[in-house]
Each structure stands twice: as structure tokens, then as C-alpha cells.
Amino acid sequence: MLQLEARPAPSRTMLVLSPLIALAATVLFGALMFAALGKNPLDGLALFFVEPLKGLYGLSELGLKATPLILCGLGLAACYRANVWNIGAEGQLLLGAIAASGVALQATDDTTRWILVPILVAGVLGGMLWAALVAVLRDRFHANEILTSLMLVYVAQNLLDYLVYGPWKDPEGYNFPQTALFAASTTLPKLIPDTRLNIGFAIALLAVAAMSLFMSRTLQGFRLVVGGQAADAARYAGFSARKSLWTVLLLSGGLSGLAGALEAVGPLGQLTPHVSPGYGFAAIIVAFVGRLNSIGIVFSGVLMAMFYIGGELAQSRLGLPNAMTGVFQGLLLFCLLAADTLVTHRVRITGRGMRHA
Amino acid sequence: MHEYALLLASALSAGTPLALASLGLLINEKSGVVNLGAEGMMLMAAIAGFAVAVATGNQWLAFGAGAVVGSVLAAAIGVLVLWLGTNQYATGLAMSLFGAGLSAFLGMNDVGRNLAPFGHVHIPWLSDLPFFGAALFSHHLMVYVAMLLAWGIHVFLHRTRAGLVLRAVGESPESAHALGYPVRRIRLAALMVGGALCGIAGAYLSVIYTPMWVQGMTAGRGWIALALTTFATWRPARVLLGAYLFGGVTMLQFYFQGRGVQVPSQLLSMLPYLATIVVLALISRNPTWIRINMPASLGKVFRPTA
Amino acid sequence: MQNRDRIRYLGAALAAGAAGLPALARSASPLKVGFIYVGPVGVAGWSYAHDQARKAMQAHFGGRVVTQFVENVPEGPDAARVLRDLAQQGNELIYATSFGFMESVLRVARDFPKVKFEHATGYKTAANVGTYDARTYEGAYMAGVVAGGMSKTGVLGVVGSVPIPEVLRNINSFTLGAQSVNAKIKTKVVWVNKWFDPPKETEAATSLVNQGADVLFQNTDSPAVLETAEKLGKYAFGWDSDMAKFGPKAHLASAVINWTPVYVDETGKVLAGTWKPEQIWWGVRHDAIDLVSINPAVPAAVRKRVEMVKAGLKNGSFHIWQGPILGQNGATVLAAGAIGDDKFLHGIDFYVKGVEGQVPGK
């Protein structure tokens, strides 16, 4: 019979293999689902894993979609490494979009392109502010950050609604809930002409590089990781849990806020109630599937973007419900958690006579 | 006067799913396990309950389906967390995200489908009382079940031997293990009972409260239920009180609007969430107080040593 | 696999190229028409009404037209990708059926100048983008006439979705209709700020009933308000599509939109090669709006009144927005005898006298 047995040390091989095993299991389940819906599994899987990669246009859309996922996932990974359970990246993203739009609305067609700098900075600060609320509540009031960060998502969505239905409504927009279109000067420079892919993607990759260096090469980064893994040891070594709480939350809020700013002045070009289809929540999966590792997050961010685009394609080409996207995302995380057992445990086939105590 | 009776009545009705789910989560947490999957489990149970209600026209079968789905999903979390040693937070989150996605997928054909409303109880004499009749004695049976349950759980935890064992497992799994109690199996049982209650709460939403299936219809109620256990410092009666308070706050936003209160409706919609944050902050402010009431091993991994 | 795809793209490219020569292309292959819906088609409501009309239009043209739809498209930047995909699949006419698709439609339309776009309820057009809308306020007014005749408390309740002019126009028209029967009618409004959120709609409807409203009306997309009225023993209406079956006792009537005339007309023009970007706004007159399934409990006198209104709207002899109309605070918004033109109707951002509360965002 099969038996799980603890490994003496975590397996490095399995640490790398387990996301791949999880992906394989998800793909297998997906194929079964397509078959159950009466579609050819290969056609279905092709829409998720092949079609989004086709051509320059396809790749550019993938990059555009992956940008907010990577940025939010990066910040969340820092939080989770430090054992801070921020699950409100969605709200921090919305605040970033709100703050950035506040600046972008001041721009006119005569404004220089440099207006983009204050716009993006405002986005970062907006996200930081929202995360700082979580930090204050945890630091001063010991309130559980899982719950406060999530409740603040709903507050942020209502705040966004209030602004676009009220004070920031386009005066020429017949009362419809959206701001005026931002002036042309706020447009993000394109990375590839004639596509929607803009420098946001490059900024996200830079953030990945910076975060990699921060985590592996600086004392502060080391402190965060130690503090998360062994709070007592960290305290003994004189590392402050408070400081790491604030650091990771501000970092995460800033990155999510940046993602929101890039969405607002990027593909959206105005502020509407529909800034995000849940990037902040999908980014939780991105962070875990990417192994809380900066480089891993690039891959998992792109993978998650493929699920989004594949879901749309499955709908318009095969007439399948686009709720498939959510199923794939959740399933992947589940399979990963289960596969992770293999990092610390190994499967042994034991005979009847070899009973363990 | 009559209007306030109806406001009270709608607060009780709106608070009932919160109370049911939160009581379930309280049982989980008393055994030392935090379940962040409540939102996803409630959604899965809501669609399962709705589908069964549509197919059979029987609300009790629908509640049964919700309870089964809730406890099966809780068991899945239990196996991952207790036996495979995965992170409790990550596993619960995975359940919430997975449940939201899968329920939307399974419910595609049930969106907007019609379900004949199920009647409320009419208690002779009591239901006809002025004020109290409308406020307290004209509800769906499940409203009273939630109240009885709070009392029952209190008695179970503090007056029975099984309740004592459950609390011991939550306070100190090592000692409970040393005394020969199967810690992981007890925790699994607690998770499954909690999951069943979350499932009943989900089915109540889609079969009785709305009654209709919509994707993401729990709208954060699973998370508010989670906050309520802290709010109530893990006491069943306070869970009930907290749930009705939040039910009242939910209804209050519409009352303010109907009364012509000059506050933008979006800001009023924030109320239940803001209230949760404020209450959490106030309750958690005193760490020693929380520590006295909180199960000591909450959220920590337990690995039995031979 | 790859070859098949290449052939399909080739076909799409040919079709897109041929769109410039409508008369020639038509005889060879059927016209591909795409639809995007904001919600699920489901069994009632906004997207359902659009899908019913899509099917009717398809039946009308038979083999000359092939239709395709994508439901549940979020109103954000993703809509652009879905529209682009539809255009690349060779659809020559695309109906975008929700307001929030406006900027996405305009952007994609710039990149596909040969594809025709029709955008519902928007206000921006382009060389290949037209708009269409229905005069839903006419249905709201007729529902108001019935509500005025049925209310005993004299208090009507409206569950408002999103406070855009269309919805304000509907709430006002509903109130004007009711006041044409009972001058003392008051309307209470509660906003849920969503188009489709049945649990919230239920709570809002319950609170309106608790505050004395005995006839409910909604501008949201689900039968939740009607079902709540059924449960609480009050009256309510169906909206967008016929919702009689959702509350047999509570259902007074359904104010429905019939998009079929618009879809047949516009698709026909593309087939004939005579399509031009227009701003269509049709009502009872073009059979786009109707009040159907009136409850037998509604007295004959009230029914007769509804029929008179309908006939007047049909032949143009009756105007809902004809002065004197007073605003909420008693100031004149439309002088005696004056008729509100489309520009006036589009700019309504106030409540008329008798509606309680404050317009959000003012």
C-alpha cells in the first residue's frame, strides 16, 4: 500500500517539479471537463495553451494581461514570505487607479509626457495608503490583516463607484458613470507599435529584477524572510516584526497601486467602475504558483493571463462558459498545494509486514 | 412602530446566514483550525442547494445538499491541512477561489432561473402579536434553527465531555495527543461539521433569502462570518448577536436611502464592511483579552510524534 | 490543426476584404453577425431580451445571415479583445449590447474600418459605428399608470440600478404615469448601484415594502424585486422581458423591450449595402416597447387608460414629457404646453415632483 513518509530534508527537485505536476494535473482535469462538455479536449486545450501564444498580437495581449498580475503577485509574495496575510491587493490596485486618475484628469493635450511620472507615483502612493491602513490596524490594534485587507477591497470598490458616479463624472458624459477620457499626453508609450502592449510590461519586469535583488542581496530582504519563517529567531536576532510588517505591506500596496495606475492610463484611458476583473485575487494564485519567487511569478503571471484569454476564446470559438477561467485558476492552486506535499514527503510502497509505529 | 418591527425582522433574516456560517467556523476554530475557505464553500453549497430545490421543489433536500457539499469540501481542506501539512491559510484561500470559479461554472444554466418562494412559519397567537409578531415570530424556520444551534453549541462546548475534548484539542493538541485522543480525526470532524453549517448558510441564501442563484452571490458573507468569530471572542451567543447586528447594518443602508438621508448610496454601501473593520479593531485592541479567549493552537500546524 | 486554422484565417481575411463590395459578397456567403452581451443570457432580463431578438432576426433572414454571440463580457479593457476576436473571425456586423462597451467599440472600430458596429445605449458614433436604444421610459410610464390604479397606500417603491439619465427618466416617467391616475402618489427610490445583484435587490425591495410601498418597480435586470413582492404579498412589474411566471400573483404587467425591429432593420441595411451610422431611438411607435401580460386583477378602466396611452404614443398624438412638469422642489422643468425633445430627455438629471430622496451624485 502507498504511504507518505516525511523526508529528512525538503527535496530540491520536487520544489521545482511540483508546480509542473500541478499544471499537468490541471490540464488533465481541463481535458476531462472539455470532454464532459462534449468538445474535443485537444481543441479546448489549444485555446488555452496554444492560441494565446500565436503571433505578435497574441503575445502582446498576453503581456498586457500579465502586467497587473505580475505586479500584484510580486508584492503579495513578499507579504507571504514575511507571514503577513494580505489578501486585499484588489483594493490596493483600485486605490492606485483612483489616485493615478486624479492626477491624469488634470492633464490637458498641452501637458508634457512627463505627466506620466506623477501619475504613476500617485498610483504607488494610493496603493501604499490603502495597505498602510491594514498595517496600522494590525500594528496598533492587532486586527487580523486577512479580514481587514479583504474588507477594504469592498470599501475601495464603493469609493471608486462614488467618485465615477459623483464628483469625477464626465461633465459631458450624459451622467454615465465614468470620467472624461484622459488627455492624449497621459498615454503610456507603446512597446510594440499597433498593439496595446505598453511600457507597463517593462516596468513590471524591472520590478521583478529589483525585487529579486532586494530579497537575495540585502539585509532587509533577509530579515523579512527570517522573520516570516521563524519569528522567535528573528526577534532574538534583533529583527523587528513591526518593521517587516510595514515594509512588506507598503511594498505590496505600492506595487498593486502601480498596477492600478497602469491599467487606468493604459488599456482603459479613463476611470470607470470596471478597472479590474479581479486581478488582485488572481494574483494570490500567481504568488503561490510562482513559489513566492520573483522569477517564478513572471511565469505564473503569464500562465494566469493565458487562463483569462483562453477563457474568452473558449467562449467565442467553442461556446463554452468563460467561468472556466476561474475553475482553472482555483484548481491550479489546489493541485499545487497537494503536489507540494511531495517536497517534504515521499511516497513509499510498503508491504503488509512492514508496519510503521 | 410597525416599521421598526419590520426592520428588526429583516435584520434577523439577513443575519441568519451569517450566524449559521459563523457558528460553523467557531466549531472549526475551537478545534484549532482556521478555515479561510468559507466563502467558496458557501458558494458551492448555494448552487448545489439551488439546483436541488429546482429539481425537487423540496427545501429540506436543498439544505441537505448544501450541508453535504459543505462538509465534503471541508473534508478536502482537512485532508490537505491535517494530513499533508499544507498551510492552513493558503489552503483555505485556494478553496475560496476554487469555489467561486467552480460554482460560477456549474451554475451557468441556473442563472436567473425561477424558484417558487418557500413559506414562513406561522405560530398561532405569537405571530399575531402586535410588534413582536412581525419582528420575531414570522420567520423562516431556519432563523429559529440558528438560534437553537447557538444555544446547543454553547451547551456542547461547556457541558459535555465531547465538547471538553474538542476544546482541549484546540488549546493544546500535544497534551490531547499524549492523553490518547486522535487529534487529527477530531479536527477533521470539527471541520466537516463546520463545513456543513457553512453549506446550510449558502443554501439558505440561494433557496430562501433571495431565492435565486447568481454567481458570487455571497458577496463577502463568508469573510464577515469569519470576522464574527473574533468579534464574538469565540462565544456562540455573541456570534448570534453579532450576526444580527451586521444583518441590521446591511438593511440600514436601504432604510437611510428610503428615508431620504443625504449621503451618497455608495458610501452607505460601505457600511457593513467598515463596521467589520471598526469592530475587529476595537475587539482586537486588547491582546491579552483576545489571547484568553482564543483557542491557543489556532492556525498552528500539529504533527503527531510517535 | 495549423493548416485548418490558416485556412480559416484566410477565409476571414477574404470576407473582411470583400466587405467593401457588399453586393458581390452577399450572394456568395451569408453575412456573419456577432453579438456581445454584458450578462449571461439566462431566462430573463436585458441580455435575454437581446438574445431573443438575435434569434428572431436570424429567423427573419434565414440562410442569408449567420449569428454568433459571446455572453458575460466584462465592461472593462477586456471587451476590446473580444470585439477584435469577433472581427477577426469574419463578422461584418457586430452588436455591442451594453453601454460600458463604448470606448472599446470605438477603438476596435478604428482598426477594422470595414466592419460595422452597432452600440446599444451609447452616445458616441464614428464612420462605422452607429448607436441604438429603446425608449424604455414609455414602458415605465404605462407601468406607472397601472401602479397608480392599484396602489392603496399611495406610496410606490422603485429599486434603482445605476443613476444614469435613462434610469432617472424611467423613475420620473413611472411616477408621472401613476400621477395621471392618482395625483397624490409618492415614489420612494432605493439605489443598489448594480444592474444585476439579486440579493441586494431583494434587500432593497424588502426595505421599500417595510416603509409603506405597496407597488414596486425596478430598473434592474433580475426578477428578484418581483419575487420579493410575491413573497410579501405586494405588487410589482417585470422589466426588459416578460417576467409573469416569476410572481403570478404579484406581477401586474411587464414593460418589455423588443430589439427585433432594430436588428432586422440594421442587418437588412448592411445586407443591402445601404448601412450608415445613425442614432436610433425607438419606442412604442416602432414596436420596440410594449406593456404585456397585464394581470387580470387590474380594473378595466386602468387597462383602457393604458391602451389609450399606447395608441397615442403609436400615432404620435400623446407625449409623456409635455408641460407643465414640475421638478421635485416645485420649480418648473417643462413649461405648460412645451414638449420635451430628445435633447431634453437625454439630459434628465433630476426627479419630478412626487419622487422622494435625492439624485445620487448631485
PDB file of all heavy atoms in Angstrom, chain B residues 27-44:
ATOM      1  N   ILE B  27     -16.875  26.338  15.540  1.00  0.00           N
ATOM      2  CA  ILE B  27     -16.540  24.957  15.902  1.00  0.00           C
ATOM      3  C   ILE B  27     -15.165  24.586  15.343  1.00  0.00           C
ATOM      4  O   ILE B  27     -14.334  24.011  16.029  1.00  0.00           O
ATOM      5  CB  ILE B  27     -17.618  23.979  15.375  1.00  0.00           C
ATOM      6  CG1 ILE B  27     -18.944  24.277  16.058  1.00  0.00           C
ATOM      7  CG2 ILE B  27     -17.202  22.536  15.597  1.00  0.00           C
ATOM      8  CD1 ILE B  27     -20.105  23.472  15.540  1.00  0.00           C
ATOM      9  N   ASN B  28     -14.906  24.977  14.065  1.00  0.00           N
ATOM     10  CA  ASN B  28     -13.588  24.736  13.479  1.00  0.00           C
ATOM     11  C   ASN B  28     -12.500  25.304  14.365  1.00  0.00           C
ATOM     12  O   ASN B  28     -11.505  24.664  14.661  1.00  0.00           O
ATOM     13  CB  ASN B  28     -13.434  25.459  12.134  1.00  0.00           C
ATOM     14  CG  ASN B  28     -14.273  24.858  11.054  1.00  0.00           C
ATOM     15  OD1 ASN B  28     -14.799  23.780  11.223  1.00  0.00           O
ATOM     16  ND2 ASN B  28     -14.380  25.557   9.947  1.00  0.00           N
ATOM     17  N   GLU B  29     -12.699  26.569  14.718  1.00  0.00           N
ATOM     18  CA  GLU B  29     -11.624  27.294  15.388  1.00  0.00           C
ATOM     19  C   GLU B  29     -11.426  26.807  16.808  1.00  0.00           C
ATOM     20  O   GLU B  29     -10.310  26.824  17.327  1.00  0.00           O
ATOM     21  CB  GLU B  29     -11.915  28.805  15.324  1.00  0.00           C
ATOM     22  CG  GLU B  29     -11.794  29.304  13.887  1.00  0.00           C
ATOM     23  CD  GLU B  29     -12.147  30.769  13.691  1.00  0.00           C
ATOM     24  OE1 GLU B  29     -12.247  31.497  14.699  1.00  0.00           O
ATOM     25  OE2 GLU B  29     -12.330  31.168  12.536  1.00  0.00           O
ATOM     26  N   LYS B  30     -12.508  26.344  17.441  1.00  0.00           N
ATOM     27  CA  LYS B  30     -12.366  25.768  18.786  1.00  0.00           C
ATOM     28  C   LYS B  30     -11.468  24.544  18.747  1.00  0.00           C
ATOM     29  O   LYS B  30     -10.816  24.213  19.728  1.00  0.00           O
ATOM     30  CB  LYS B  30     -13.749  25.392  19.339  1.00  0.00           C
ATOM     31  CG  LYS B  30     -14.454  26.565  20.024  1.00  0.00           C
ATOM     32  CD  LYS B  30     -13.774  26.897  21.334  1.00  0.00           C
ATOM     33  CE  LYS B  30     -14.431  28.096  22.020  1.00  0.00           C
ATOM     34  NZ  LYS B  30     -13.647  28.537  23.190  1.00  0.00           N
ATOM     35  N   SER B  31     -11.433  23.861  17.581  1.00  0.00           N
ATOM     36  CA  SER B  31     -10.572  22.684  17.469  1.00  0.00           C
ATOM     37  C   SER B  31      -9.168  23.073  17.007  1.00  0.00           C
ATOM     38  O   SER B  31      -8.308  22.230  16.864  1.00  0.00           O
ATOM     39  CB  SER B  31     -11.173  21.671  16.491  1.00  0.00           C
ATOM     40  OG  SER B  31     -10.879  22.048  15.156  1.00  0.00           O
ATOM     41  N   GLY B  32      -8.965  24.367  16.749  1.00  0.00           N
ATOM     42  CA  GLY B  32      -7.628  24.832  16.398  1.00  0.00           C
ATOM     43  C   GLY B  32      -7.367  25.046  14.923  1.00  0.00           C
ATOM     44  O   GLY B  32      -6.243  25.286  14.513  1.00  0.00           O
ATOM     45  N   VAL B  33      -8.439  24.958  14.077  1.00  0.00           N
ATOM     46  CA  VAL B  33      -8.225  25.118  12.635  1.00  0.00           C
ATOM     47  C   VAL B  33      -8.951  26.367  12.126  1.00  0.00           C
ATOM     48  O   VAL B  33     -10.125  26.569  12.422  1.00  0.00           O
ATOM     49  CB  VAL B  33      -8.751  23.895  11.850  1.00  0.00           C
ATOM     50  CG1 VAL B  33      -8.392  24.011  10.384  1.00  0.00           C
ATOM     51  CG2 VAL B  33      -8.194  22.622  12.433  1.00  0.00           C
ATOM     52  N   VAL B  34      -8.234  27.214  11.400  1.00  0.00           N
ATOM     53  CA  VAL B  34      -8.858  28.368  10.748  1.00  0.00           C
ATOM     54  C   VAL B  34      -9.244  27.943   9.336  1.00  0.00           C
ATOM     55  O   VAL B  34      -8.429  27.377   8.623  1.00  0.00           O
ATOM     56  CB  VAL B  34      -7.887  29.563  10.651  1.00  0.00           C
ATOM     57  CG1 VAL B  34      -8.555  30.727   9.964  1.00  0.00           C
ATOM     58  CG2 VAL B  34      -7.414  29.966  12.026  1.00  0.00           C
ATOM     59  N   ASN B  35     -10.469  28.209   8.939  1.00  0.00           N
ATOM     60  CA  ASN B  35     -10.914  27.826   7.604  1.00  0.00           C
ATOM     61  C   ASN B  35     -11.220  29.063   6.760  1.00  0.00           C
ATOM     62  O   ASN B  35     -12.281  29.666   6.875  1.00  0.00           O
ATOM     63  CB  ASN B  35     -12.157  26.949   7.711  1.00  0.00           C
ATOM     64  CG  ASN B  35     -12.624  26.465   6.367  1.00  0.00           C
ATOM     65  OD1 ASN B  35     -12.048  26.832   5.341  1.00  0.00           O
ATOM     66  ND2 ASN B  35     -13.665  25.660   6.355  1.00  0.00           N
ATOM     67  N   LEU B  36     -10.263  29.426   5.900  1.00  0.00           N
ATOM     68  CA  LEU B  36     -10.470  30.597   5.041  1.00  0.00           C
ATOM     69  C   LEU B  36     -11.281  30.226   3.795  1.00  0.00           C
ATOM     70  O   LEU B  36     -11.472  31.044   2.914  1.00  0.00           O
ATOM     71  CB  LEU B  36      -9.137  31.191   4.592  1.00  0.00           C
ATOM     72  CG  LEU B  36      -8.210  31.793   5.652  1.00  0.00           C
ATOM     73  CD1 LEU B  36      -7.136  32.620   4.986  1.00  0.00           C
ATOM     74  CD2 LEU B  36      -8.967  32.659   6.626  1.00  0.00           C
ATOM     75  N   GLY B  37     -11.749  28.991   3.740  1.00  0.00           N
ATOM     76  CA  GLY B  37     -12.468  28.557   2.544  1.00  0.00           C
ATOM     77  C   GLY B  37     -13.964  28.797   2.625  1.00  0.00           C
ATOM     78  O   GLY B  37     -14.707  28.438   1.705  1.00  0.00           O
ATOM     79  N   ALA B  38     -14.418  29.414   3.725  1.00  0.00           N
ATOM     80  CA  ALA B  38     -15.856  29.543   3.959  1.00  0.00           C
ATOM     81  C   ALA B  38     -16.602  30.156   2.770  1.00  0.00           C
ATOM     82  O   ALA B  38     -17.650  29.655   2.357  1.00  0.00           O
ATOM     83  CB  ALA B  38     -16.106  30.374   5.213  1.00  0.00           C
ATOM     84  N   GLU B  39     -16.040  31.222   2.197  1.00  0.00           N
ATOM     85  CA  GLU B  39     -16.714  31.905   1.091  1.00  0.00           C
ATOM     86  C   GLU B  39     -16.939  30.946  -0.089  1.00  0.00           C
ATOM     87  O   GLU B  39     -18.031  30.884  -0.648  1.00  0.00           O
ATOM     88  CB  GLU B  39     -15.867  33.108   0.661  1.00  0.00           C
ATOM     89  CG  GLU B  39     -16.461  33.941  -0.456  1.00  0.00           C
ATOM     90  CD  GLU B  39     -17.423  35.018   0.034  1.00  0.00           C
ATOM     91  OE1 GLU B  39     -17.655  35.103   1.259  1.00  0.00           O
ATOM     92  OE2 GLU B  39     -17.953  35.751  -0.816  1.00  0.00           O
ATOM     93  N   GLY B  40     -15.909  30.201  -0.442  1.00  0.00           N
ATOM     94  CA  GLY B  40     -16.028  29.272  -1.571  1.00  0.00           C
ATOM     95  C   GLY B  40     -16.966  28.121  -1.260  1.00  0.00           C
ATOM     96  O   GLY B  40     -17.757  27.689  -2.112  1.00  0.00           O
ATOM     97  N   MET B  41     -16.918  27.627  -0.030  1.00  0.00           N
ATOM     98  CA  MET B  41     -17.795  26.532   0.365  1.00  0.00           C
ATOM     99  C   MET B  41     -19.249  26.981   0.343  1.00  0.00           C
ATOM    100  O   MET B  41     -20.146  26.245  -0.093  1.00  0.00           O
ATOM    101  CB  MET B  41     -17.411  26.034   1.759  1.00  0.00           C
ATOM    102  CG  MET B  41     -16.146  25.204   1.756  1.00  0.00           C
ATOM    103  SD  MET B  41     -15.296  25.113   3.352  1.00  0.00           S
ATOM    104  CE  MET B  41     -16.634  24.896   4.466  1.00  0.00           C
ATOM    105  N   MET B  42     -19.498  28.206   0.813  1.00  0.00           N
ATOM    106  CA  MET B  42     -20.872  28.720   0.804  1.00  0.00           C
ATOM    107  C   MET B  42     -21.401  28.844  -0.625  1.00  0.00           C
ATOM    108  O   MET B  42     -22.559  28.547  -0.906  1.00  0.00           O
ATOM    109  CB  MET B  42     -20.943  30.083   1.500  1.00  0.00           C
ATOM    110  CG  MET B  42     -20.930  29.987   3.020  1.00  0.00           C
ATOM    111  SD  MET B  42     -20.779  31.599   3.818  1.00  0.00           S
ATOM    112  CE  MET B  42     -22.441  32.246   3.585  1.00  0.00           C
ATOM    113  N   LEU B  43     -20.539  29.309  -1.528  1.00  0.00           N
ATOM    114  CA  LEU B  43     -20.973  29.458  -2.922  1.00  0.00           C
ATOM    115  C   LEU B  43     -21.296  28.107  -3.542  1.00  0.00           C
ATOM    116  O   LEU B  43     -22.309  27.941  -4.230  1.00  0.00           O
ATOM    117  CB  LEU B  43     -19.885  30.161  -3.742  1.00  0.00           C
ATOM    118  CG  LEU B  43     -19.850  31.676  -3.597  1.00  0.00           C
ATOM    119  CD1 LEU B  43     -18.590  32.243  -4.225  1.00  0.00           C
ATOM    120  CD2 LEU B  43     -21.079  32.297  -4.247  1.00  0.00           C
ATOM    121  N   MET B  44     -20.430  27.129  -3.298  1.00  0.00           N
ATOM    122  CA  MET B  44     -20.677  25.793  -3.851  1.00  0.00           C
ATOM    123  C   MET B  44     -21.977  25.215  -3.285  1.00  0.00           C
ATOM    124  O   MET B  44     -22.766  24.591  -4.001  1.00  0.00           O
ATOM    125  CB  MET B  44     -19.501  24.865  -3.523  1.00  0.00           C
ATOM    126  CG  MET B  44     -18.239  25.128  -4.332  1.00  0.00           C
ATOM    127  SD  MET B  44     -18.452  24.767  -6.080  1.00  0.00           S
ATOM    128  CE  MET B  44     -18.570  22.985  -6.024  1.00  0.00           C
TER     129      MET B  44
END
